[in-house]
Amino acid sequence: MKLNPFSKKSNPYLDKIKAEHDALNQELTPLKAELAEAEAEHAAAREKQNRLRDAAGSMSMNTPPAAKAHWPILCEANQRMERLKSKVSNLESQLRPLQQVLATPERFAVARKQLDDLIAQRKAVTAEAQTVDGQLTKIAKRVTDLEARIATETKSASRTLLDTEAEFVVPETLTKLEVELRITRASQAELERQRDAIQGQLAGLPDAVRKARDHFIHCRAAMAEIELHEQLMPVMNALARASAARRQINYHHDESRFPVEIPRDLIEAASDALAAEMPAA
């Protein structure tokens, strides 16, 4: 499955969305600059109004004439600032959905890669856990064998000790077996620490994979809508004609929408295709 179906070809729908986005952004840029200037003017007018009002002193109950004369200027500055804020807010609200559409291909590619990486990580960690478990099984058997051999050698050395009156020397075989047992147990402890660390990694992966899968499904849904709009572009005029015709016989019909019934067999085929796209766990 392609991470970005539009990476190698032009998409008329996305091109249209980008053109709308660029036009709005071109309109928004000077408005923001004008708003910043209006905010600065309003702040200066408000500061001057406060200074003129305070000139009469804190005990005065009357507004100084200069403050009264300046009040309309402050009101006008505030009205200009609010008008510009409203225009900027309106353009930004129009830009947001366009930005979301334009960001969808990259978000979808990232979501797919994150899901693939997490599933690959889970497989690798699971394989590592199986390897460590296999090593622990082998080393546990080795410990059991060494303990049995040491028990036999110890019993034999004990009889030798009891049967001789000369100075007793610990058999070299018994010494080597005990050293080997200590090394084997140390290796077993290290493997157990590795197993615990691996189990800790595995414990958090199912939830991470589930969240990544949910995120991928949401991004794929947005991507599917873009693909739908791309396919609909050539037939949009026919849909508009049908919707306008329906409006003429049904006053309540919303001309901007025209419901289309999708055959059940196509829905089932699409569902199967979506399921096949999901990475194998």
Side-chain angles (χ1 to χ4, degrees), residues 53-64:
R53 186 186 58 204
D54 295 342
S58 59
M59 300 302 295
S60 176
M61 299 299 293
N62 298 320
T63 302

Side-chain angles (χ1 to χ4, degrees), residues 106-126:
E106 183 177 355
R107 289 178 63 245
F108 174 70
V110 170
R112 181 57 188 264
K113 186 177 186 306
Q114 287 176 341
L115 179 58
D116 287 342
D117 289 348
L118 280 170
I119 290 177
Q121 181 184 358
R122 184 172 64 180
K123 288 180 178 179
V125 175
T126 299

